[in-house]
Amino acid sequence: MWGALEENGAGVGEIYDSIPDYVGGHIAAERLSQQPFWKEAKVIKSNPDAAQGPVRYRALRDGKLLYMPVPELAKDYPFVLLDPAELAKKGVAFEEAATLQGALKYGKPVQFDEMMPMDVLCVGCVAVTRAGGRTGKGGGFADLELGIFRELGLVPQHGKIVTTVHQLQVVPNDQVPMQWHDSPLDWIVTPEEAIETRTPYPQPTGVAWDVVQPDQYRDIPFLTALRQELGRS
């Protein structure tokens, strides 16, 4: 997929081994913002990658509360909260706050038990299918986050799991196999179209603790304590 984006001149910056940034990301974010579920949403979560920078900007511009995870969940706090009203009071430009460094600088650190239910949960993807299949870089952070959210009751029934990608990243269904602990997409938005997947894949009910890797326990400071707090020890 990274090679296809590069060969077609569709990637932006260093795209290999990443959630690739792509040409037309602002158009995809605009198309996402026109969907009724987005317009009704009050709380948005977005991954921290550059590809979804336009989504984060659009959320702030549209007056939504925005959660962004710390990259690879590598700090003592897992997320930051960006409140567009507070940013405006401080004179912080939404364009700056929507960047990774801006979000970490201006966002309020929050723990999972301080978070509000989220109406739209945007995840970064390398490849997706029209049936809702998705794959990222292989680190498992998105599924871990979503599993924790579900165990804590932070994904309401109306919550939508979405992504924005280049059209080239939409591949045939059989190219992205899904496992039982993978969270499928409800919507895929590209610069050309918005796809409601009506996914046949079931959503997991929580964290697949049995498949969490030893290096994740080692590298994510709060993970062991959180598992114990949830009674999964």
Side-chain angles (χ1 to χ4, degrees):
M1 181 52 61
W2 293 312
L5 290 169
E6 182 179 63
E7 291 166 11
N8 287 273
V12 175
E14 295 293 331
I15 60 173
Y16 283 86
D17 299 317
S18 71
I19 300 299
D21 199 2
Y22 60 93
V23 174
H26 287 83
I27 299 172
E30 171 68 21
R31 189 179 298 279
L32 173 61
S33 75
Q34 298 306 309
Q35 304 309 311
F37 66 83
W38 176 280
K39 293 181 178 181
E40 295 169 2
K42 293 182 170 52
V43 183
I44 307 287
K45 172 263 170 186
S46 174
N47 56 301
D49 304 279
Q52 277 66 51
V55 173
R56 298 192 297 274
Y57 168 72
R58 189 72 206 202
L60 296 174
R61 177 181 159 183
D62 290 350
K64 320 288 189 185
L65 294 174
L66 174 65
Y67 286 118
M68 188 197 80
V70 173
E72 300 187 352
L73 304 177
K75 291 188 179 292
D76 291 334
Y77 54 90
F79 276 76
V80 294
L81 170 63
L82 294 154
D83 183 337
E86 292 298 320
L87 293 171
K89 287 180 184 178
K90 296 176 181 177
V92 178
F94 293 157
E95 292 89 345
E96 181 180 2
T99 66
L100 170 59
Q101 294 304 320
L104 294 175
K105 179 178 180 180
Y106 297 110
K108 174 187 176 183
V110 292
Q111 300 293 339
F112 281 109
D113 59 5
E114 299 174 299
M115 296 176 72
M116 296 171 283
M118 289 153 277
D119 305 302
V120 177
L121 301 97
C122 186
V123 297
C125 296
V126 174
V128 301
T129 75
R130 292 177 181 272
R134 45 165 281 274
T135 186
K137 296 178 294 183
F141 293 106
D143 288 309
L144 181 59
E145 288 173 8
L146 291 168
I148 293 171
F149 291 158
R150 290 192 177 99
E151 295 213 18
L152 295 175
L154 297 176
V155 183
Q157 188 171 5
H158 68 267
K160 306 295 185 189
I161 300 176
V162 309
T163 195
T164 54
V165 292
H166 193 275
Q167 197 72 32
L168 287 171
Q169 293 173 262
V170 184
V171 301
N173 291 339
D174 61 0
Q175 291 191 14
V176 182
M178 293 286 281
Q179 300 186 58
W180 65 270
H181 53 78
D182 294 330
S183 293
L185 296 161
D186 296 307
W187 284 82
I188 299 162
V189 185
T190 78
E192 285 77 27
E193 62 178 330
I195 304 164
E196 184 177 11
T197 68
R198 303 185 187 277
T199 182
Y201 303 115
Q203 293 288 358
T205 58
V207 178
W209 292 107
D210 291 344
V211 300
V212 176
Q213 299 300 305
D215 62 329
Q216 290 180 302
Y217 285 113
R218 182 192 68 223
D219 297 337
I220 301 174
F222 57 82
L223 193 56
T224 299
L226 180 65
R227 178 173 181 170
Q228 293 171 348
E229 289 173 14
L230 293 171
R232 303 297 192 268
S233 57

